[in-house]
Amino acid sequence: MENLIIFNARVVTPVGFSARRGGEMGKLRIIDNATVEVTDGTITYVGENRGENRDGYYHRYWHYNARGKCLLPGFVDSHTHFVFGGERAEEFSWRLKGESYMSIMQRGGGIVSTVKATRASNFVRLRSKAEGFLKQMSAMGVTTVEGKSGYGLDKETELLQLRVMRSLHNDEHKRVDIVSTFLGAHAVPPEYGGRTDEYVDYLIREVMPCVVQNDLAEFCDVFCEQGVFSIGQSRRLLLAAKEMGLALKLHADEIVPLGGAGLAAELSAVSADHLLHASDADIQAMADKGVVATLLPLTAFALKEPYARGREMIDAGCAVALATDLNPGSCFSGSIPLTFALACIYMKMSIEEAITALTLNGAAALNRAGSIGSIEVGKKGDMVVLNTDNYHFLPYYIGMNCVNTTIKEGVLYPTP
Ligand code: NIG
Ligand code: FE
């Protein structure tokens, strides 16, 4: 944590301490020739330029001249699976030949093949691989990332993945904060083949209590999908999680329209994610209940699936967040620039809406809209400096990085 004073910036930020919904998503505050002051890692002033040596006060601050550059809130990647063993490049090549993601999973590949590699790995190897991803994310402007377990599917390895995330979060030199999610219900492991209900019982009785007692996760998520966990099984698991104090997320309506988005509304989940096939009624239910609709356009791109209906969701009054879904199977990409471009080009979101979706609404999807996601007094000094004073470069630079420097709690990390 540092004291930092930024001069001459073009501040571009959503405003508020909760998710922005519907028409509010496109409204940004833009301040030219701005000063932003960060004291002990927290924003203490945002507004018109202040004199550099106001009473000598700023001698205790690092100075940064942002003339000709935009300053945005740090990006929040609110849905990833960045801790895992192994790779699945051969699976990718099968998909290129026409095999589907679900058929690979049904014949014992997919998530379960990463489970084998993760069980065979160890703390040190999982941690150093995950740390490599965090460095790349930071260079693209990410200051907070959500990470999920779900490649252990047994008590020992699920806890191992969550401990890796905790250790990365507690690292005093970290560039990215980590919010952890328990996703034991990501797939049914081979030892429970054909016994999904018993596996759900095992998660509720044996794994979840350990996760909660050791304070290893804030959220519980489930892959609610045909042939994986049904609506009934997902509801049972999530109700137990809620009872134990976890907040809720769902992988919903990713491959088929099963009704996961409606379940998210019924249970007042914090977010429902993917939503490629969410129905009109369920979209309206999410808007009414304030469930954040987290869209992951890189996954639709990689699986050659239709994009989620971002425009319709915003028009229906939803709070939409954008995230990468970085994982070794459906989407091996943590590219923030490509996420921006796909959201604007294919999901018909405006550039302003996409910025809100990757900052304040991403924060809301992690229950953190009160402390991150906008450049406002009282929030963390987590910000992104662009190479340009024109924020339209974010989607216009397709898949190319226009981040000059990432600022984490007032510490500057120039993009390598
Ligand atoms: O969000 N769909 C389930 N989970 C991930 C994919 C995980 C994997 O393939 O390893 C997703 O797409
Ligand atoms: Fe996912």
Side-chain angles (χ1 to χ4, degrees), residues 79 81 148 186 251 274 296 325 327:
H79 181 139
H81 311 245
K148 303 174 194 292
H186 197 193
H251 280 68
H274 284 291
L296 311 162
D325 198 21
N327 74 73

Side-chain angles (χ1 to χ4, degrees), residues 75 135-142 334-338 340 384-388 393-406 413-416:
F75 299 135
K135 281 205 182 109
Q136 294 189 54
M137 292 173 192
S138 167
M140 290 183 278
V142 172
S335 175
I336 295 293
L338 193 53
F340 258 112
V384 178
V385 182
L386 302 187
N387 277 322
T388 158
F393 273 67
L394 282 164
Y396 167 60
Y397 253 33
I398 297 174
M400 305 239 292
N401 198 9
C402 61
V403 171
N404 176 287
T405 299
T406 302
Y413 294 101
T415 304

Side-chain angles (χ1 to χ4, degrees), residues 214-228:
N214 291 287
D215 208 9
L216 281 169
E218 256 176 76
F219 287 89
C220 180
D221 193 348
V222 53
F223 188 13
C224 177
E225 189 62 53
Q226 190 171 68
V228 194

